[in-house]
Amino acid sequence: QTVLVKKEILQEVGYFNETLPIGEDYDLWLRISQKYPFIYFNKVTVNYRMTDNGLSGNGESRQFLYSKWYGRILEQYLPQCSKKNVVRLKGRILECYKFSIWGYLKINNLKEVRELCIRSLHIKKLQPKVVVYLLMSFSPQKVWRQIQSVRSR
């Protein structure tokens, strides 16, 4: 993706949020889009490649990480979101978190599962699957592996 932005716009909305581990550009585009329209130019202007041994990790874990952080970035915009769009924004955040929860369950990163389940339940209270995932994340690894082996048959 290539973006052209006037310097004055960046000075107005702020630059990259360097406290974010990933998604700094996504956050910046969201801030710009709140004040200015975007124009889509349907032409490839840049090519780049990503490898499994790059800084962003392998393809599978990269997807979970990106989805988690996109959800967290979107969460920052809930307070200023219009009532008309809150439900849609919450739905998008929950999609990001649920995708990451399932991915982290598959690779046994239960700490991330717990964090994302709790964040999801703060956004929408009654989510039976998320509650089950949260409870499962506290079960011993041996039990969780047995559940995974039965589920994959």
Side-chain angles (χ1 to χ4, degrees), residues 3 10 12 16 34 37 43 49 62 65 69 79-80 85 91 96 99 110 117 138 143 151:
V3 178
L10 291 174
E12 179 184 345
F16 288 120
Q34 291 179 319
K43 183 176 180 180
R49 91 187 143 147
R62 183 183 311 128
L65 182 66
W69 279 99
Q80 60 209 39
N85 292 322
C96 289
F99 176 79
L110 302 180
C117 285
F138 287 101
V143 172
R151 195 170 200 295

Side-chain angles (χ1 to χ4, degrees), residues 20-68:
L20 296 171
I22 62 171
E24 303 94 334
D25 54 346
Y26 188 62
D27 175 65
L28 177 60
W29 310 149
L30 288 172
R31 283 185 277 126
I32 292 172
S33 71
Q34 291 179 319
K35 296 184 178 208
Y36 297 95
F38 276 54
I39 298 171
Y40 176 68
F41 185 62
N42 190 13
K43 183 176 180 180
V44 176
T45 56
V46 173
N47 289 314
Y48 66 94
R49 91 187 143 147
M50 298 174 84
T51 61
D52 284 349
N53 59 355
L55 292 175
S56 300
N58 70 35
E60 187 175 35
S61 65
R62 183 183 311 128
Q63 289 177 333
F64 310 142
L65 182 66
Y66 281 24
S67 188
K68 168 189 151 181

Side-chain angles (χ1 to χ4, degrees), residues 9-132:
I9 292 173
L10 291 174
Q11 290 170 332
E12 179 184 345
V13 301
Y15 299 98
F16 288 120
N17 178 351
E18 295 180 23
T19 63
L20 296 171
I22 62 171
E24 303 94 334
D25 54 346
Y26 188 62
D27 175 65
L28 177 60
W29 310 149
L30 288 172
R31 283 185 277 126
I32 292 172
S33 71
Q34 291 179 319
K35 296 184 178 208
Y36 297 95
F38 276 54
I39 298 171
Y40 176 68
F41 185 62
N42 190 13
K43 183 176 180 180
V44 176
T45 56
V46 173
N47 289 314
Y48 66 94
R49 91 187 143 147
M50 298 174 84
T51 61
D52 284 349
N53 59 355
L55 292 175
S56 300
N58 70 35
E60 187 175 35
S61 65
R62 183 183 311 128
Q63 289 177 333
F64 310 142
L65 182 66
Y66 281 24
S67 188
K68 168 189 151 181
W69 279 99
Y70 287 152
R72 289 188 69 172
I73 290 167
L74 289 172
E75 218 178 312
Q76 295 174 8
Y77 292 90
L78 275 173
Q80 60 209 39
C81 190
S82 68
K83 288 183 181 181
K84 182 176 99 177
N85 292 322
V86 165
V87 172
R88 194 168 72 198
L89 182 58
K90 283 184 175 183
R92 181 66 188 117
I93 294 166
L94 291 173
E95 284 175 22
C96 289
Y97 287 165
K98 285 178 183 177
F99 176 79
S100 293
I101 288 168
W102 183 245
Y104 284 123
L105 277 171
K106 285 188 345 185
I107 61 172
N108 293 317
N109 188 336
L110 302 180
K111 181 181 175 193
E112 289 288 346
V113 171
R114 288 181 204 117
E115 178 196 331
L116 290 168
C117 285
I118 290 167
R119 289 186 90 86
S120 292
L121 292 169
H122 281 294
I123 293 171
K124 184 179 176 190
K125 304 291 182 225
L126 298 174
Q127 299 182 72
K129 275 188 177 179
V130 173
V131 172
V132 169

